[in-house]
Amino acid sequence: MSVLKKPFTAIAAAIALCATSLGALADEPRYNQVSLRAEVSQEVAHDLMHVTLYSEGQASDPARLAADTTKALNAAVEQARKVKGVTVSLGSRNSYPVYDDKGQKITAWRERAEVRLESADFAALSQLTADLLGQLKMGNMNFSIADATRARNEDALMKGAVDAFKARAQVLTDALGGKGYKLVSLNLNTSGAPQPMPVMRMAAMKADGYAGAPAQEIEAGTSQVVVSADGTIEVQMP
């Protein structure tokens, strides 16, 4: 008789365990996953000035033209190196033939070469630009945020982005009638776009018109630095 009771006892125990497991599962919180995004931004003043100047000429002798171009570049680089806080580098340089009206015979050669200047000292670079415009032509002038400045502002905005994400997550949880939420994933991204700047492009103006010209007044403008928080939360339902 005792032998016959053992299978029934084992089955009863299994049924009880199963019922207990189902009850435990029923008591576990239920979650719904939701993706959301929050971002914060700040206008940051440009603190780097970039100027591109160029030498351009035309001659029938390509060797003489190249020599004249090199001479103009060397003189500009030498002058720029004397100005403290200005970084100077050479940009693109190219030459190409000029053909006659029929497009068959080369009548001359044309060459263009760039000098690029960069500085955080706007006044110094503006004055240097004015001085060099007697020898070179203006290509363009623009402004940007230095890498260190951008990184510093992004770091300051990260906490704000996380706080904004948490606040939005709580609003969403309340809207869904949830009891709470847990964070599944979170990604922080940075970006920034320059705002329009009141800087005139002067490439078409003649260099001799700048002889003795005063330094230009500078309005560097700003860029918007943005830090966004993208993530997923699981909302605990009642």
Side-chain angles (χ1 to χ4, degrees):
M1 294 295 291
S2 59
V3 175
L4 293 175
K5 289 181 179 179
K6 287 183 180 180
F8 290 103
T9 303
I11 293 172
I15 293 174
L17 179 60
C18 181
T20 302
S21 300
L22 290 174
L25 289 173
D27 292 337
E28 286 185 358
R30 294 178 291 112
Y31 289 92
N32 294 319
Q33 288 198 357
V34 182
S35 297
L36 62 147
R37 173 187 176 91
E39 67 178 33
V40 293
S41 63
Q42 180 177 324
E43 292 292 329
V44 179
H46 293 143
D47 56 355
L48 269 184
M49 178 178 176
H50 312 268
V51 173
T52 300
L53 305 174
Y54 68 93
S55 172
E56 187 170 36
Q58 182 171 312
S60 57
D61 183 352
R64 179 61 184 271
L65 177 60
D68 289 344
T69 301
T70 299
K71 183 178 179 181
L73 290 182
N74 288 345
V77 169
E78 183 179 357
Q79 187 172 347
R81 284 174 175 168
K82 295 177 182 178
V83 182
K84 184 179 180 180
V86 174
T87 301
V88 56
S89 61
L90 295 178
S92 63
R93 178 170 179 170
N94 56 74
S95 64
Y96 53 91
V98 178
Y99 293 91
D100 59 15
D101 294 338
K102 295 181 179 180
Q104 297 178 349
K105 182 180 179 180
I106 297 176
T107 59
W109 288 84
R110 193 163 189 84
E111 186 162 351
R112 187 182 190 277
E114 294 179 342
V115 174
R116 297 174 180 173
L117 308 171
E118 178 184 293
S119 181
D121 188 339
F122 294 175
L125 183 49
S126 180
Q127 185 60 61
L128 174 62
T129 300
D131 295 341
L132 290 175
L133 283 173
Q135 313 161 40
L136 304 175
K137 298 182 177 74
M138 172 66 80
N140 60 66
M141 178 189 296
N142 56 73
F143 300 86
S144 68
I145 302 173
D147 291 342
T149 304
R150 179 178 292 278
R152 186 167 58 251
N153 281 274
E154 288 175 348
D155 289 346
L157 289 173
M158 281 184 181
K159 183 180 183 303
V162 172
D163 290 342
F165 181 90
K166 290 165 63 178
R168 181 161 289 185
Q170 188 59 56
V171 169
L172 184 59
T173 299
D174 294 341
L176 292 174
K179 296 194 303 181
Y181 73 88
K182 66 178 182 180
L183 183 64
V184 177
S185 64
L186 181 65
N187 297 309
L188 293 176
N189 303 291
T190 60
S191 63
Q195 301 298 318
M197 297 173 291
V199 179
M200 179 174 60
R201 183 177 176 85
M202 296 176 280
M205 304 182 75
K206 294 182 179 180
D208 55 11
Y210 282 93
Q216 180 179 332
E217 292 294 328
I218 300 300
E219 290 292 340
T222 63
S223 284
Q224 190 177 60
V225 176
V226 180
V227 176
S228 61
D230 297 272
T232 300
I233 61 171
E234 285 188 347
V235 179
Q236 180 183 356
M237 304 306 293

